[in-house]
Amino acid sequence: MKLIIGNRAYSSWSMRGWLALKHAGFEFEELVVPLFDEVWEQRREGDEFAPSLGKVPILWDGETVIWDSLAIIDFCADKVGRERFWPEDEAARGMARSMAAEMHSGFSALRRELPFNVRRNFGSAELSTEVEADINRILNLWAQARARFGGTCEYLFCNWSAADIMFAPVVTRFVTYGVRVPPFAAAYMEAVLHRADVVEWIEQAQDEPWVIESIEAAGTA
């Protein structure tokens, strides 16, 4: 297997795909591609990127190619057993899938105004009304999952699942921009941030040489 990812510091979708492969227990080669550098457009035209039109992450497993983080999660689940990625209980599984899909397609204001940056902590950022609405929705989803299915466990649906993988970059965003959260969410975030795979991703991001100035400036606006 070969997983092509963007900068760990800035690519939330790459983080999700990478966490999925780590959770599945696969051995795989990693190729980190600097996003938006001077040869970005040329690199995107290569054969390895062709199926995804240059987007990352993209996974090659022999002749099989899978792009998009949620597709990679499902591919891994098919390989190792869906119970490893999704709750066994039908109601919990339905909610977990819905939350993962909403994270995949929604929260555009959060993505736009609080870009992913695991190397920085900007303190308390000023939030627009649209971002506050996205944050409140996320916190509400977390609260429902924890109350209905999380019990006394660390994660949204007790065991680490695809839903946690999809929301892990949101946890780091909340830290980067100093988003205030209630105690239950703070405890969940702490559990995610101390998970070994998440720690590894963040630690490796610190040593990357690349800087995207527009993202760095977002937290100082």
Side-chain angles (χ1 to χ4, degrees):
M1 288 186 177
K2 180 177 185 176
L3 181 70
I4 305 173
I5 59 176
N7 316 42
R8 286 180 171 84
Y10 304 123
S11 182
S12 61
W13 293 111
S14 293
M15 181 183 185
R16 292 178 174 106
W18 186 88
L19 287 175
L21 265 67
K22 297 292 276 190
H23 185 51
F26 295 142
E27 292 185 5
F28 58 97
E29 177 188 355
E30 299 175 30
L31 174 60
V32 181
V33 178
L35 300 176
F36 313 127
D37 66 1
E38 61 276 7
V39 294
W40 173 246
E41 291 300 329
Q42 179 182 347
R43 187 185 292 112
R44 292 176 67 186
E45 295 175 0
D47 291 342
E48 286 188 312
F49 284 89
S52 69
L53 295 179
K55 295 180 180 179
V56 291
I58 179 167
L59 173 65
W60 288 89
D61 181 14
E63 295 300 313
T64 301
V65 58
I66 307 95
W67 62 97
D68 187 283
S69 299
L70 197 53
I72 290 172
I73 286 173
D74 256 359
F75 176 78
C76 292
D78 287 342
K79 283 273 194 178
V80 301
R82 304 196 68 79
E83 67 281 354
R84 189 167 178 83
F85 281 85
W86 301 103
E88 181 179 357
D89 177 81
E90 185 175 7
R93 189 166 62 253
M95 185 175 186
R97 283 176 169 156
S98 298
M99 287 176 62
E102 185 170 348
M103 184 67 253
H104 186 263
S105 62
F107 308 112
S108 59
L110 180 79
R111 301 181 200 278
R112 181 177 61 253
E113 298 181 35
L114 304 184
F116 184 77
N117 187 347
V118 298
R119 288 198 300 218
R120 298 294 297 273
N121 186 332
F122 293 110
S124 183
E126 185 175 343
L127 306 176
S128 70
T129 301
E130 292 79 9
V131 170
E132 287 184 341
D134 279 353
I135 291 170
N136 288 336
R137 172 60 176 169
I138 289 167
L139 293 175
N140 183 265
L141 289 172
W142 288 0
Q144 289 184 53
R146 298 288 297 137
R148 293 180 61 190
F149 306 109
T152 59
C153 303
E154 293 182 311
Y155 303 118
L156 294 174
F157 295 89
C158 195
N159 296 322
W160 181 258
S161 72
D164 299 299
I165 290 171
M166 290 298 292
F167 280 96
V170 174
V171 169
T172 73
R173 271 185 167 97
F174 285 3
V175 172
T176 298
Y177 298 96
V179 175
R180 296 180 180 179
V181 299
F184 88 88
Y188 170 63
M189 289 171 58
E190 193 73 8
V192 172
L193 291 168
H194 281 86
R195 186 170 177 85
D197 293 345
V198 175
V199 170
E200 181 181 348
W201 178 274
I202 294 173
E203 286 182 346
Q204 291 188 30
Q206 308 311 307
D207 299 326
E208 291 179 334
W210 311 291
V211 175
I212 300 178
E213 296 293 349
S214 60
I215 295 179
E216 295 295 329
T220 59

